[in-house]
Amino acid sequence: MLTTLESIFAIFQQDFAELFSYVAEHIALILPVMMLVTAACLAAFFFMLKKARLMKKRWLRSLDLGRRIAPENGLEQNLTRMLEMVAAMVTAPTYTFYIHDQNKNVHLLRAVHHQAPNFGKVEPSYSGLAEYKKEQYLPPLSIAPEVSPAKLRMRKVGRVEFLDIPVADIGLIRVGPMRKYHYNRKIKRELEAFQEMAQNSLRQLLMLEEVRNKSTVIVTAGQAMQRINSIALDVNSTTDFMLNLAMKITQADGGFFAVQSGDRFRLAAISKDANFRHDLLPRDELAGILVKLSELKREQADIRLFSENENDFYKLPPEIAATGARTVAIIDLSERREEPCRRMMVLWHLAPPQQAVWKEACASLRPVIGNMREVLGQQQLFRGFSAHYVDILKTLAQLQDNLAVYTAGRSELMGKYAMVIAREMGLAAEEIRNVALAAYLSNIGNIGISLDLVHKEGRFSEAEYELIKLHAEVGASIVQSMLGNERASSYILHHHERMDGNGYPAGLTGNEIPFGARIIAVVETFLALTSGRKYRQPLSFEQAIERLRNAAGTHLDASIVDLFLNWFARKQAELTG
């Protein structure tokens, strides 16, 4: 056994000696190869390390870009954020962002960033005796597209050099004025990486900006149409518009528009910034005041001016004198002075207008008075037709109610209960009518969406819910366009708002919600609880009352809920007593 081990050891010793001898003979050849392999491995390692650092840097810049870009901030602010990132890579006094306008075929300036925080300010000289006359670069508002580069490069404009950084094929960042030694290969690589990252962000921002602009145009056009429609059809909007127009023409400091109703006058409109207030002049006294004003000047002029240097001026009622007026003008807008329904506008000046100025104002106002009379006359005719429109809309609402057993008679109950609450609140007769009408027609918009969807059993999908929510806007638009009743329209529009701001369509909170809409919300909730649906039984009266109390303050207006429940309690007491 020992002999065998010794023989094996001898063999290994001989092989090792031969290997060592071979290595010793060829060491001159093996060592350079090993060094080359080691150098290659080290070079590959450092290259990968540098690549990893570069990728990490680009990843961090990408995260930074993602944090800086916020679509809700608008295009200009986001472009400025991009310029701030460029400013962190290359030093220059001014950074500008141009966007290509296809219609004008020109690059338009959309954002500017200055390195110096006090750009544009006058700086003192070192002596403190003279202004610092350093020239500052003002970027052009547009750049011709033929001068925009396809690649990142330095460009000379006159005697000044700039660095142009194209972003996709729609944007151009111009940095400068700058010197060539401020720009090197490292900066170029960083800017090229920024170009790649910024391309998609810029395209998305421009797409969102286009959608936002189109939405703004649509909303603005819709608001303009509603405004024109209100002026054309709604008496309150018309009188308010006419009063503001007359005040602007005559440069009056205040005024009001009064319409005769029976043997009395009512205030149809009053200037917002006037010292004259409703509580200074009760409506019951307005008729007598206007009669006095009319009797002070007997001439049949449309415009009657009372100046402080006239004896008649001091016969004016003290309520108007309390405004501090030094001249008062009465404008008669009645079609015929003997007609039973007279319309008058009262304007006053705190400083007497010059005679020449007043004559010019009257010359401009007289043809407008004729137009005002024509509009008011047409509105009077329209009111007769609008009663038929109301009947048509109410019939359509009843038709919709009768499509299901659990909604039969719902619109009529909505109108009656809303009227009860409005009376309990002590509202004026006209407001009570507006609230009752809005409640009756609160769901008229469902007809324009989908009756199948309205009467669907079970839960709505997300898309169906978003669609059904439009019934408030559609209903408001119908009432506005057909009846010209702006207040009733606003009550319908906002009757699904919540006191905590979680309603729709505008997410209004508390008193931001029109009081008529808050009334409708209480009534609609009560009827929904007591009428039931196919998929659930109606609640008892006591259960519905408890649910109303629980919803007060979050979903519903607590004060209106209290008024409604107190009315119920009083009625129950009358029946049992």
Side-chain angles (χ1 to χ4, degrees), residues 373-538:
R373 285 176 180 156
E374 186 175 354
V375 170
L376 293 170
Q378 293 294 334
Q379 279 191 338
Q380 192 169 357
L381 292 175
F382 176 78
R383 281 195 291 274
F385 292 110
S386 66
H388 296 292
Y389 289 141
V390 170
D391 291 339
I392 292 172
L393 292 178
K394 284 187 174 181
T395 303
L396 288 173
Q398 293 170 3
L399 175 63
Q400 180 182 218
D401 293 343
N402 293 332
L403 292 176
V405 175
Y406 49 83
T407 58
R410 175 189 173 283
S411 295
E412 188 171 354
L413 285 174
M414 285 285 299
K416 288 182 177 179
Y417 280 136
M419 184 180 294
V420 164
I421 296 176
R423 285 174 178 167
E424 291 292 304
M425 293 176 68
L427 299 180
E430 184 178 1
E431 283 304 324
I432 294 174
R433 287 193 295 270
N434 287 333
V435 171
L437 176 64
Y440 202 111
L441 302 177
S442 57
N443 286 320
I444 192 70
N446 288 331
I447 294 176
I449 297 177
S450 171
L451 290 177
D452 292 336
L453 189 58
V454 172
H455 294 283
K456 175 184 175 180
E457 296 183 20
R459 295 178 62 87
F460 292 127
S461 67
E462 186 175 348
E464 289 173 337
Y465 180 63
E466 291 300 320
L467 181 61
I468 202 67
K469 280 163 55 176
L470 293 174
H471 80 279
E473 298 176 55
V474 174
S477 180
I478 290 172
V479 171
Q480 176 70 27
S481 59
M482 292 189 67
L483 306 180
N485 192 324
E486 189 171 2
R487 294 200 175 183
S489 174
S490 70
Y491 300 157
I492 294 173
L493 177 63
H494 296 293
H495 76 278
H496 278 289
E497 305 284 0
R498 291 172 54 108
M499 297 297 287
D500 56 12
N502 293 321
Y504 62 87
L508 302 181
T509 61
N511 290 332
E512 293 177 351
I513 307 171
F515 65 84
R518 283 178 270 153
I519 292 174
I520 296 173
V522 171
V523 176
E524 187 171 59
T525 302
F526 174 74
L527 292 180
L529 294 171
T530 55
S531 60
R533 292 291 185 270
K534 281 186 178 180
Y535 50 86
R536 65 170 174 82
Q537 292 295 320

Side-chain angles (χ1 to χ4, degrees), residues 3 34 50 52 131-133 170 178 195 200 253 261 278 298 300 345 358 402 490 518 537 541-542:
T3 304
M34 293 180 64
K50 185 178 180 180
E131 290 184 351
Y132 180 66
K133 297 296 185 180
I170 46 182
M178 62 181 297
Q195 282 179 287
N200 291 333
D253 295 302
S261 178
H278 289 73
R298 299 289 184 177
Q300 297 298 306
M345 197 181 295
W358 178 251
N402 293 332
S490 70
R518 283 178 270 153
Q537 292 295 320
F541 179 79
E542 290 75 16

Side-chain angles (χ1 to χ4, degrees), residues 76 95-99 107-112 139-143:
E76 281 72 17
Y95 306 81
T96 53
F97 211 128
Y98 292 85
I99 299 296
H107 284 73
L108 298 178
L109 180 65
R110 298 298 298 270
V112 180
L141 298 179
S142 63
I143 298 177

Side-chain angles (χ1 to χ4, degrees), residues 4 14 116 198 245 266 320 330 359 387 402 415 513:
T4 303
Q14 183 181 356
L245 181 62
R266 64 179 181 84
I320 292 182
I330 307 295
K359 285 184 178 180
N402 293 332
I513 307 171

Side-chain angles (χ1 to χ4, degrees), residues 37-216:
V37 171
T38 303
C41 291
L42 289 174
F45 172 76
F46 285 112
F47 176 78
M48 294 300 294
L49 183 62
K50 185 178 180 180
K51 194 77 173 177
R53 287 176 178 173
L54 182 61
M55 291 179 64
K56 181 181 179 181
K57 194 172 184 179
R58 290 187 177 182
W59 179 66
L60 291 175
R61 287 195 184 278
S62 178
L63 289 178
D64 186 32
L65 179 63
R67 284 192 296 265
R68 288 173 180 266
I69 299 301
E72 65 273 11
N73 291 338
L75 179 62
E76 281 72 17
Q77 188 171 346
N78 284 307
L79 295 182
T80 302
R81 295 292 177 85
M82 289 187 182
L83 293 178
E84 291 173 356
M85 292 187 66
V86 175
M89 291 181 259
V90 57
T91 303
T94 307
Y95 306 81
T96 53
F97 211 128
Y98 292 85
I99 299 296
H100 183 67
D101 188 325
Q102 294 182 350
N103 295 328
K104 299 179 180 179
N105 192 27
V106 67
H107 284 73
L108 298 178
L109 180 65
R110 298 298 298 270
V112 180
H113 173 67
H114 299 290
Q115 192 73 270
N118 60 344
F119 179 84
K121 295 182 180 180
V122 177
E123 301 177 11
S125 68
Y126 290 107
S127 66
L129 300 176
E131 290 184 351
Y132 180 66
K133 297 296 185 180
K134 183 178 179 180
E135 182 180 356
Q136 292 177 326
Y137 169 71
L138 296 176
L141 298 179
S142 63
I143 298 177
E146 59 267 19
V147 303
S148 60
K151 297 181 179 180
L152 187 148
R153 68 171 178 176
M154 295 287 292
R155 174 181 292 278
K156 201 166 187 178
V157 181
R159 298 181 179 181
V160 183
E161 284 196 300
F162 294 90
L163 175 62
D164 283 352
I165 308 170
V167 183
D169 55 349
I170 46 182
L172 174 67
I173 297 175
R174 174 162 285 185
V175 181
M178 62 181 297
R179 302 184 185 278
K180 287 187 177 180
Y181 62 78
H182 288 157
Y183 178 61
N184 53 41
R185 289 185 179 181
K186 180 181 178 182
I187 294 175
K188 181 180 179 182
R189 286 194 298 268
E190 291 183 354
L191 291 175
E192 287 174 345
F194 170 79
Q195 282 179 287
E196 295 179 8
M197 293 184 296
Q199 286 181 5
N200 291 333
S201 296
L202 180 60
R203 287 194 178 97
Q204 291 175 4
L205 287 173
L206 290 175
M207 181 181 66
L208 289 172
E209 183 72 6
E210 183 179 1
V211 172
R212 185 179 288 111
N213 290 338
K214 288 181 179 179
S215 300
T216 302

